[in-house]
Amino acid sequence: MANIIDGKKISQAVKDEVKAKCAELASQGITATLAVILVGEDPASQVYVNNKKKACEYCGIRSLSYELPADTAEDALIELIEELNARSDVNGILVQLPLPDGINEDRVLDTISPDKDVDGFHPVNVGKLSIGKKGFVSCTPAGVIQLLKRSGIEISGKECVVIGRSNIVGKPMSMLLLKENGTVTVAHSRTANLKEVTKRADILVVAIGKPKFIDASYIKDGAVVIDVGIHRGEDGKLCGDVDFDSASQVASYITPVPGGVGPMTIAMLMYNCLSSVI
Ligand code: GUN
């Protein structure tokens, strides 16, 4: 039976470190401010945004909330971002995704100043990551690295397989594992013989977007399995891209859903907000 990587506990530790540093900065008169923009009324996005604001409050980060109607014009959103870019009292800007149909997501994300892009989605930050320069890193993959490091799992020299090539998770994940000296393979929906590829992995990061898709038959004995997926099953319970009951029989370490990668995303957002002022 695999060791369970406790994302709740590790995310709490990260938030407590951020909180301590924020308190230290506050005594020097410095407070980080995050502007959070939500367009429309997607219920899942509302939950995420509320959790982000709560985490800010916990850490001692000021948050400004902009909740705009679903029919907001793209130009009005761009104008708001430009205003926030220009404000010296705003250090981070986050636009919750997905945006309503009709708003060009790329144009919106590209408008956020790279220096305030705490989500790490701006092409400048993505580019910096790919050439090993300092910049904001996408929160979910950054959280995965923290889960591995804080669980004492060595990345250097290991066969790392990432399933999924999204701009937010798969691609930055592969770059971060490479930066940690892993030998990285990115598999995706067109990969031939997926099982052959995943069976090579010492560290398998799954961001495939299909509930319980990866079972024990995809996993090498003793591999570390990180599940980035989150789905609501027919039984109403949350599950990941990995079939936990099956995979945990062969893995050495595994993240549960919920309570694995999920909480790390917000913790790393807090870390990025802190980085925006130091
Ligand atoms: N929607 C789903 N995940 C994210 C995220 O990490 N950041 C933002 N801005 N929107 C999201």
Side-chain angles (χ1 to χ4, degrees):
M1 183 68 188
N3 294 293
I4 294 175
I5 299 176
D6 187 344
K8 264 193 180 166
K9 196 166 135 192
I10 296 174
S11 67
Q12 190 61 47
V14 171
K15 282 190 288 186
D16 284 336
E17 287 163 22
V18 171
K19 182 180 175 155
K21 192 74 192 160
C22 285
E24 198 185 311
L25 289 170
S27 69
Q28 302 163 32
I30 300 165
T31 308
T33 298
L34 170 67
V36 181
I37 305 173
L38 172 64
V39 188
E41 276 148 26
D42 177 59
S45 291
Q46 284 173 333
V47 172
Y48 287 134
V49 161
N50 276 333
N51 288 341
K52 288 172 187 180
K53 288 193 280 195
K54 266 192 238 161
C56 282
E57 200 180 327
Y58 179 81
C59 293
I61 293 166
R62 187 167 74 115
S63 71
L64 307 175
S65 189
Y66 297 86
E67 291 180 13
L68 311 177
D71 62 357
T72 298
E74 185 177 307
D75 284 343
L77 178 57
I78 297 282
E79 235 172 78
L80 170 61
I81 295 169
E82 283 171 345
E83 229 176 85
L84 294 168
N85 280 343
R87 272 176 63 170
S88 60
D89 66 326
V90 172
N91 313 102
I93 302 170
L94 180 151
V95 178
Q96 186 65 26
L97 303 178
L99 287 166
D101 287 347
I103 297 185
N104 180 338
E105 208 163 274
D106 282 344
R107 181 172 171 233
V108 169
L109 296 180
D110 291 3
T111 302
I112 298 172
S113 162
D115 297 333
K116 298 189 178 186
D117 169 39
V118 285
D119 258 328
F121 293 167
H122 192 284
V124 165
N125 284 317
V126 176
K128 281 185 173 173
L129 174 61
S130 75
I131 59 172
K133 285 199 173 159
K134 227 170 126 45
F136 290 113
V137 178
S138 181
C139 302
T140 300
V144 170
I145 296 293
Q146 287 303 308
L147 287 177
L148 294 170
K149 286 191 169 175
R150 290 172 189 245
S151 302
I153 295 161
E154 177 82 27
I155 303 169
S156 180
K158 296 290 171 63
E159 287 282 347
C160 303
V161 175
V162 179
I163 321 181
R165 54 176 160 178
S166 72
N167 290 338
I168 293 180
V169 180
K171 283 180 196 154
M173 188 74 253
S174 66
M175 288 298 163
L176 285 172
L177 290 165
L178 194 55
K179 192 170 156 211
E180 297 295 331
N181 302 310
T183 302
V184 183
T185 304
V186 181
H188 46 79
S189 53
R190 306 279 176 90
T191 296
N193 304 320
L194 180 63
K195 216 171 256 194
E196 249 171 54
V197 177
T198 58
K199 277 254 185 191
R200 290 206 302 265
D202 300 311
I203 298 173
L204 179 62
V205 181
V206 188
I208 201 172
K210 293 180 187 165
K212 298 188 181 182
F213 186 86
I214 297 295
D215 64 14
S217 68
Y218 287 83
I219 300 165
K220 179 166 85 175
D221 238 356
V224 175
V225 178
I226 305 289
D227 188 352
V228 182
I230 185 151
H231 313 273
R232 177 83 57 189
E234 283 160 16
D235 54 4
K237 283 191 192 161
L238 292 174
C239 70
D241 292 349
V242 174
D243 180 346
F244 182 88
D245 292 341
S246 165
S248 57
Q249 301 300 314
V250 292
S252 60
Y253 286 85
I254 190 166
T255 58
V257 177
V261 174
M264 291 305 293
T265 300
I266 292 187
M268 297 317 290
L269 174 67
M270 297 301 104
Y271 175 83
N272 282 352
C273 290
L274 168 64
S275 309
S276 71
V277 287
I278 55 175

